[in-house]
Amino acid sequence: MKKHLNCGALLESLSEYVDGVLGDALCAEIESHVADCDDCRVVVDTLKKTIYLYHETSEKTEIPIDVRTRLFHRLNLDDFIQEKKQV
Amino acid sequence: MNEESQQEFSLELLRSGDRAELARLVDVHSTKIYRLGLKMLSNPQDAEDVLQNTFLKAIQALPKFEGRSTISTWLYRIAVNESLMLIRRRKPEFDFASKVEGEEDDEILLTQFSDWCCLPESELVSSEAQKYLDKAIQELSEKLRVVFLLRDIEKLSITETSEALNISESAVKTRLLRARLQLREMLSKYYGERLNAEKTG
């Protein structure tokens, strides 16, 4: 279970690792650790999935059309309300 | 994503009060600002207030905007401040800059190790799961929540998140890791149960 890196040390680099910004050497250490340590492998996989799920499901939230209309009105932009939304 | 908005909008036109350019700015950024307000405050009316106040303040402050950060990061910064102001109104003792007790020094505990990644997509993003995702994010402290929202939902960089929140990059990283791990724990409890149900069912 413990090679060069223990589970606690993995935690410190975890964010950088899942963001893909960790240096090659540390990356390789993490990969060799999770190959042997099932709990850490699960933590890495489910953490990636957690971030993915939040991003994916949030993308669906759009500003409701009536909220946009009131915003344009409040900003004195009524004459632009009809313009096609650019996303 | 943010370099594009810098090039896309003419600061000169915006500062001179060009309304067509302003309308374009509003349409490109309103969904993101509304979404941030909604997830920070969990209330559509508050989110709408944050949205309107953010653009009203931005329009007022445009002449002073120096373009040191992108327009997008700058708008997020105003929106975060508006959200925190509403939170402070409800909880006067709230102080964003101070450390939360145990927030940055305590050891992080991992207790959930069920491997729910293999659940079908339909189960992961069902409407019930969606409700749970929303509920879990509200369980985070505001300080952790806002970092997660900017970094992992709105996909700002660490630097942009630190600019938008006016906290150091190391504070962003610490809070981000805490937020991510707390959410992972909560999601693991929820999806772990689904996984067990699937195995036994």
Side-chain angles (χ1 to χ4, degrees):
Chain A
M1 173 154 159
K2 280 182 195 171
K3 278 190 170 175
H4 308 289
L5 184 88
N6 62 28
C7 307
L10 175 126
L11 213 52
E12 280 172 32
S13 311
L14 194 53
S15 263
E16 283 81 7
Y17 180 65
V18 299
D19 287 340
V21 296
L22 203 59
D24 289 347
L26 262 175
C27 239
E29 279 199 41
I30 287 187
E31 268 148 28
S32 97
H33 176 77
V34 296
D36 288 340
C37 178
D38 208 42
D39 280 354
C40 282
R41 181 192 61 78
V42 169
V43 168
V44 168
D45 288 350
T46 52
L47 183 63
K48 282 185 187 164
K49 198 80 175 181
T50 296
I51 298 167
Y52 165 82
L53 281 174
Y54 271 104
H55 181 65
E56 283 302 295
T57 55
S58 298
E59 288 282 284
K60 290 183 211 145
T61 308
E62 284 278 327
I63 180 173
I65 195 76
D66 54 326
V67 173
R68 178 180 178 270
T69 303
R70 288 193 291 273
L71 175 65
F72 272 65
H73 180 66
R74 185 87 194 274
L75 302 176
N76 292 320
L77 294 169
D78 299 72
D79 41 332
F80 294 95
I81 287 175
Q82 296 309 322
E83 299 222 341
K84 198 172 167 278
K85 274 185 81 175
Q86 307 177 18
V87 181
Chain B
M1 72 170 219
N2 289 314
E3 274 140 50
E4 132 256 328
S5 56
Q6 197 81 320
Q7 290 156 0
E8 228 180 273
F9 295 102
S10 157
L11 267 181
E12 224 166 293
L13 282 177
L14 287 170
R15 287 201 188 106
S16 71
D18 185 286
R19 297 173 66 258
E21 189 71 349
L22 182 61
R24 228 161 57 76
L25 180 82
V26 172
D27 263 338
V28 168
H29 292 288
S30 55
T31 281
K32 298 185 232 171
I33 302 295
Y34 181 75
R35 190 164 54 203
L36 180 76
L38 200 57
K39 294 202 183 280
M40 272 307 279
L41 298 149
S42 187
N43 172 325
Q45 184 55 57
D46 287 345
E48 188 167 349
D49 287 347
V50 166
L51 177 71
Q52 293 191 356
N53 290 337
T54 296
F55 281 107
L56 285 170
K57 293 207 169 155
I59 291 167
Q60 264 183 350
L62 261 172
K64 284 184 282 175
F65 175 65
E66 291 167 354
R68 262 180 290 176
S69 63
T70 60
I71 292 186
S72 172
T73 304
W74 181 64
L75 288 172
Y76 277 126
R77 185 177 180 136
I78 301 173
V80 166
N81 286 336
E82 287 300 311
S83 303
L84 295 178
M85 205 153 65
L86 282 182
I87 289 168
R88 241 174 253 126
R89 213 172 284 167
R90 286 186 216 147
K91 291 197 261 180
E93 73 285 0
F94 178 70
D95 175 10
F96 187 72
S98 77
K99 284 187 180 182
V100 171
E101 205 174 317
E103 178 187 88
E104 282 158 40
D105 307 318
D106 270 17
E107 219 174 297
I108 300 174
L109 274 184
L110 297 173
T111 63
Q112 302 291 320
F113 301 100
S114 72
D115 191 1
W116 47 268
C117 287
C118 52
L119 279 170
E121 191 80 3
S122 59
E123 184 108 49
L124 288 171
V125 299
S126 69
S127 57
E128 194 202 300
Q130 179 65 60
K131 273 186 205 148
Y132 188 82
L133 288 172
D134 288 341
K135 187 171 155 261
I137 208 167
Q138 296 306 318
E139 303 259 325
L140 294 178
S141 72
E142 286 86 359
K143 294 180 187 194
L144 298 190
R145 195 188 315 146
V146 72
V147 171
F148 183 80
L149 290 177
L150 292 178
R151 179 76 187 92
D152 282 341
I153 293 189
E154 302 303 333
K155 295 292 177 196
L156 269 64
S157 68
I158 297 280
T159 309
E160 288 165 337
T161 306
S162 120
E163 284 169 5
L165 298 176
N166 203 21
I167 58 175
S168 69
E169 291 192 15
S170 77
V172 169
K173 288 181 188 170
T174 313
R175 290 179 188 189
L176 179 65
L177 179 63
R178 301 228 156 224
R180 285 172 163 182
L181 289 175
Q182 281 186 25
L183 289 172
R184 191 205 70 88
E185 287 278 306
M186 288 189 268
L187 264 53
S188 294
K189 284 179 197 160
Y190 175 80
Y191 288 123
E193 280 173 25
R194 300 291 161 301
L195 196 65
N196 284 338
E198 202 161 84
K199 277 180 191 157
T200 54

